[in-house]
PDB file of all heavy atoms in Angstrom:
ATOM      1  N   ALA A  47     137.099 169.183 122.502  1.00  0.00           N
ATOM      2  CA  ALA A  47     136.340 168.088 121.910  1.00  0.00           C
ATOM      3  C   ALA A  47     136.802 166.782 122.556  1.00  0.00           C
ATOM      4  O   ALA A  47     138.001 166.555 122.737  1.00  0.00           O
ATOM      5  CB  ALA A  47     136.574 168.036 120.404  1.00  0.00           C
ATOM      6  N   VAL A  48     135.852 165.942 122.914  1.00  0.00           N
ATOM      7  CA  VAL A  48     136.152 164.660 123.548  1.00  0.00           C
ATOM      8  C   VAL A  48     135.867 163.555 122.534  1.00  0.00           C
ATOM      9  O   VAL A  48     134.750 163.445 122.032  1.00  0.00           O
ATOM     10  CB  VAL A  48     135.297 164.452 124.818  1.00  0.00           C
ATOM     11  CG1 VAL A  48     135.608 163.128 125.469  1.00  0.00           C
ATOM     12  CG2 VAL A  48     135.516 165.607 125.791  1.00  0.00           C
ATOM     13  N   PHE A  49     136.892 162.758 122.236  1.00  0.00           N
ATOM     14  CA  PHE A  49     136.771 161.667 121.272  1.00  0.00           C
ATOM     15  C   PHE A  49     136.676 160.334 121.986  1.00  0.00           C
ATOM     16  O   PHE A  49     137.163 160.176 123.105  1.00  0.00           O
ATOM     17  CB  PHE A  49     137.991 161.603 120.352  1.00  0.00           C
ATOM     18  CG  PHE A  49     138.184 162.802 119.466  1.00  0.00           C
ATOM     19  CD1 PHE A  49     139.379 162.985 118.809  1.00  0.00           C
ATOM     20  CD2 PHE A  49     137.196 163.748 119.279  1.00  0.00           C
ATOM     21  CE1 PHE A  49     139.589 164.070 117.978  1.00  0.00           C
ATOM     22  CE2 PHE A  49     137.384 164.842 118.458  1.00  0.00           C
ATOM     23  CZ  PHE A  49     138.586 164.998 117.805  1.00  0.00           C
ATOM     24  N   ALA A  50     136.072 159.367 121.300  1.00  0.00           N
ATOM     25  CA  ALA A  50     136.010 157.987 121.796  1.00  0.00           C
ATOM     26  C   ALA A  50     136.061 157.068 120.581  1.00  0.00           C
ATOM     27  O   ALA A  50     135.693 157.471 119.470  1.00  0.00           O
ATOM     28  CB  ALA A  50     134.721 157.758 122.582  1.00  0.00           C
ATOM     29  N   PRO A  51     136.508 155.833 120.783  1.00  0.00           N
ATOM     30  CA  PRO A  51     136.507 154.899 119.655  1.00  0.00           C
ATOM     31  C   PRO A  51     135.087 154.604 119.194  1.00  0.00           C
ATOM     32  O   PRO A  51     134.172 154.520 120.010  1.00  0.00           O
ATOM     33  CB  PRO A  51     137.162 153.637 120.209  1.00  0.00           C
ATOM     34  CG  PRO A  51     137.542 153.920 121.595  1.00  0.00           C
ATOM     35  CD  PRO A  51     137.047 155.251 121.991  1.00  0.00           C
ATOM     36  N   ARG A  52     134.926 154.497 117.903  1.00  0.00           N
ATOM     37  CA  ARG A  52     133.632 154.112 117.349  1.00  0.00           C
ATOM     38  C   ARG A  52     133.557 152.597 117.396  1.00  0.00           C
ATOM     39  O   ARG A  52     134.502 151.922 116.996  1.00  0.00           O
ATOM     40  CB  ARG A  52     133.537 154.605 115.907  1.00  0.00           C
ATOM     41  CG  ARG A  52     132.127 154.845 115.456  1.00  0.00           C
ATOM     42  CD  ARG A  52     132.086 155.534 114.137  1.00  0.00           C
ATOM     43  NE  ARG A  52     132.628 154.638 113.128  1.00  0.00           N
ATOM     44  CZ  ARG A  52     132.840 154.986 111.868  1.00  0.00           C
ATOM     45  NH1 ARG A  52     132.603 156.188 111.472  1.00  0.00           N
ATOM     46  NH2 ARG A  52     133.320 154.119 111.007  1.00  0.00           N
ATOM     47  N   GLU A  53     132.473 152.082 117.874  1.00  0.00           N
ATOM     48  CA  GLU A  53     132.356 150.634 118.047  1.00  0.00           C
ATOM     49  C   GLU A  53     131.195 150.100 117.224  1.00  0.00           C
ATOM     50  O   GLU A  53     130.190 149.637 117.747  1.00  0.00           O
ATOM     51  CB  GLU A  53     132.173 150.297 119.520  1.00  0.00           C
ATOM     52  CG  GLU A  53     133.366 150.720 120.362  1.00  0.00           C
ATOM     53  CD  GLU A  53     133.146 150.579 121.844  1.00  0.00           C
ATOM     54  OE1 GLU A  53     132.017 150.275 122.266  1.00  0.00           O
ATOM     55  OE2 GLU A  53     134.112 150.784 122.587  1.00  0.00           O
ATOM     56  N   ASP A  54     131.351 150.167 115.889  1.00  0.00           N
ATOM     57  CA  ASP A  54     130.312 149.676 114.999  1.00  0.00           C
ATOM     58  C   ASP A  54     130.340 148.158 114.888  1.00  0.00           C
ATOM     59  O   ASP A  54     129.334 147.540 114.618  1.00  0.00           O
ATOM     60  CB  ASP A  54     130.476 150.269 113.599  1.00  0.00           C
ATOM     61  CG  ASP A  54     130.295 151.782 113.612  1.00  0.00           C
ATOM     62  OD1 ASP A  54     129.709 152.290 114.583  1.00  0.00           O
ATOM     63  OD2 ASP A  54     130.737 152.435 112.663  1.00  0.00           O
ATOM     64  N   GLY A  55     131.507 147.592 115.080  1.00  0.00           N
ATOM     65  CA  GLY A  55     131.666 146.150 114.919  1.00  0.00           C
ATOM     66  C   GLY A  55     131.811 145.471 116.264  1.00  0.00           C
ATOM     67  O   GLY A  55     131.472 146.028 117.300  1.00  0.00           O
ATOM     68  N   PRO A  56     132.326 144.253 116.259  1.00  0.00           N
ATOM     69  CA  PRO A  56     132.520 143.525 117.515  1.00  0.00           C
ATOM     70  C   PRO A  56     133.467 144.270 118.452  1.00  0.00           C
ATOM     71  O   PRO A  56     134.446 144.853 118.018  1.00  0.00           O
ATOM     72  CB  PRO A  56     133.142 142.199 117.075  1.00  0.00           C
ATOM     73  CG  PRO A  56     132.839 142.096 115.627  1.00  0.00           C
ATOM     74  CD  PRO A  56     132.721 143.481 115.095  1.00  0.00           C
ATOM     75  N   ALA A  57     133.148 144.264 119.707  1.00  0.00           N
ATOM     76  CA  ALA A  57     133.951 144.967 120.707  1.00  0.00           C
ATOM     77  C   ALA A  57     135.217 144.185 121.018  1.00  0.00           C
ATOM     78  O   ALA A  57     135.258 142.976 120.870  1.00  0.00           O
ATOM     79  CB  ALA A  57     133.131 145.156 121.982  1.00  0.00           C
ATOM     80  N   PRO A  58     136.274 144.876 121.462  1.00  0.00           N
ATOM     81  CA  PRO A  58     137.500 144.173 121.838  1.00  0.00           C
ATOM     82  C   PRO A  58     137.258 143.122 122.918  1.00  0.00           C
ATOM     83  O   PRO A  58     137.944 142.110 122.956  1.00  0.00           O
ATOM     84  CB  PRO A  58     138.404 145.293 122.349  1.00  0.00           C
ATOM     85  CG  PRO A  58     137.900 146.525 121.708  1.00  0.00           C
ATOM     86  CD  PRO A  58     136.433 146.315 121.534  1.00  0.00           C
ATOM     87  N   PHE A  59     136.266 143.340 123.780  1.00  0.00           N
ATOM     88  CA  PHE A  59     135.966 142.353 124.819  1.00  0.00           C
ATOM     89  C   PHE A  59     135.629 140.999 124.187  1.00  0.00           C
ATOM     90  O   PHE A  59     136.059 139.947 124.666  1.00  0.00           O
ATOM     91  CB  PHE A  59     134.810 142.855 125.684  1.00  0.00           C
ATOM     92  CG  PHE A  59     134.446 141.920 126.805  1.00  0.00           C
ATOM     93  CD1 PHE A  59     135.282 141.782 127.905  1.00  0.00           C
ATOM     94  CD2 PHE A  59     133.293 141.164 126.741  1.00  0.00           C
ATOM     95  CE1 PHE A  59     134.953 140.923 128.930  1.00  0.00           C
ATOM     96  CE2 PHE A  59     132.961 140.304 127.767  1.00  0.00           C
ATOM     97  CZ  PHE A  59     133.794 140.176 128.863  1.00  0.00           C
ATOM     98  N   ALA A  60     134.878 141.031 123.088  1.00  0.00           N
ATOM     99  CA  ALA A  60     134.525 139.783 122.390  1.00  0.00           C
ATOM    100  C   ALA A  60     135.775 139.096 121.859  1.00  0.00           C
ATOM    101  O   ALA A  60     135.860 137.867 121.851  1.00  0.00           O
ATOM    102  CB  ALA A  60     133.553 140.070 121.257  1.00  0.00           C
ATOM    103  N   PHE A  61     136.746 139.879 121.421  1.00  0.00           N
ATOM    104  CA  PHE A  61     137.997 139.301 120.924  1.00  0.00           C
ATOM    105  C   PHE A  61     138.689 138.492 122.013  1.00  0.00           C
ATOM    106  O   PHE A  61     139.154 137.381 121.775  1.00  0.00           O
ATOM    107  CB  PHE A  61     138.923 140.409 120.423  1.00  0.00           C
ATOM    108  CG  PHE A  61     140.280 139.925 120.032  1.00  0.00           C
ATOM    109  CD1 PHE A  61     140.470 139.271 118.832  1.00  0.00           C
ATOM    110  CD2 PHE A  61     141.369 140.118 120.865  1.00  0.00           C
ATOM    111  CE1 PHE A  61     141.729 138.821 118.471  1.00  0.00           C
ATOM    112  CE2 PHE A  61     142.621 139.668 120.514  1.00  0.00           C
ATOM    113  CZ  PHE A  61     142.797 139.015 119.311  1.00  0.00           C
ATOM    114  N   PHE A  62     138.731 139.039 123.218  1.00  0.00           N
ATOM    115  CA  PHE A  62     139.409 138.336 124.304  1.00  0.00           C
ATOM    116  C   PHE A  62     138.608 137.136 124.795  1.00  0.00           C
ATOM    117  O   PHE A  62     139.167 136.141 125.214  1.00  0.00           O
ATOM    118  CB  PHE A  62     139.698 139.296 125.461  1.00  0.00           C
ATOM    119  CG  PHE A  62     140.727 140.324 125.105  1.00  0.00           C
ATOM    120  CD1 PHE A  62     140.385 141.653 124.986  1.00  0.00           C
ATOM    121  CD2 PHE A  62     142.037 139.960 124.858  1.00  0.00           C
ATOM    122  CE1 PHE A  62     141.323 142.605 124.636  1.00  0.00           C
ATOM    123  CE2 PHE A  62     142.992 140.892 124.511  1.00  0.00           C
ATOM    124  CZ  PHE A  62     142.630 142.220 124.394  1.00  0.00           C
ATOM    125  N   MET A  63     137.287 137.211 124.735  1.00  0.00           N
ATOM    126  CA  MET A  63     136.454 136.104 125.210  1.00  0.00           C
ATOM    127  C   MET A  63     136.513 134.901 124.273  1.00  0.00           C
ATOM    128  O   MET A  63     136.502 133.768 124.714  1.00  0.00           O
ATOM    129  CB  MET A  63     134.993 136.556 125.377  1.00  0.00           C
ATOM    130  CG  MET A  63     134.790 137.524 126.522  1.00  0.00           C
ATOM    131  SD  MET A  63     135.303 136.858 128.115  1.00  0.00           S
ATOM    132  CE  MET A  63     134.042 135.644 128.381  1.00  0.00           C
ATOM    133  N   VAL A  64     136.561 135.146 122.974  1.00  0.00           N
ATOM    134  CA  VAL A  64     136.540 134.037 122.022  1.00  0.00           C
ATOM    135  C   VAL A  64     137.873 133.855 121.316  1.00  0.00           C
ATOM    136  O   VAL A  64     137.977 133.069 120.393  1.00  0.00           O
ATOM    137  CB  VAL A  64     135.408 134.226 120.983  1.00  0.00           C
ATOM    138  CG1 VAL A  64     134.062 134.208 121.657  1.00  0.00           C
ATOM    139  CG2 VAL A  64     135.609 135.472 120.172  1.00  0.00           C
ATOM    140  N   GLY A  65     138.871 134.591 121.738  1.00  0.00           N
ATOM    141  CA  GLY A  65     140.200 134.425 121.163  1.00  0.00           C
ATOM    142  C   GLY A  65     140.299 134.874 119.716  1.00  0.00           C
ATOM    143  O   GLY A  65     141.114 134.373 118.962  1.00  0.00           O
ATOM    144  N   GLY A  66     139.456 135.758 119.294  1.00  0.00           N
ATOM    145  CA  GLY A  66     139.517 136.254 117.927  1.00  0.00           C
ATOM    146  C   GLY A  66     138.896 135.318 116.913  1.00  0.00           C
ATOM    147  O   GLY A  66     138.995 135.537 115.720  1.00  0.00           O
ATOM    148  N   ALA A  67     138.238 134.269 117.362  1.00  0.00           N
ATOM    149  CA  ALA A  67     137.722 133.263 116.445  1.00  0.00           C
ATOM    150  C   ALA A  67     136.482 133.713 115.688  1.00  0.00           C
ATOM    151  O   ALA A  67     136.116 133.104 114.698  1.00  0.00           O
ATOM    152  CB  ALA A  67     137.392 131.988 117.225  1.00  0.00           C
TER     153      ALA A  67
END
Side-chain angles (χ1 to χ4, degrees):
V48 180
F49 296 166
R52 207 171 66 186
E53 298 172 353
D54 296 341
F59 181 72
F61 174 77
F62 292 112
M63 291 301 290
V64 297

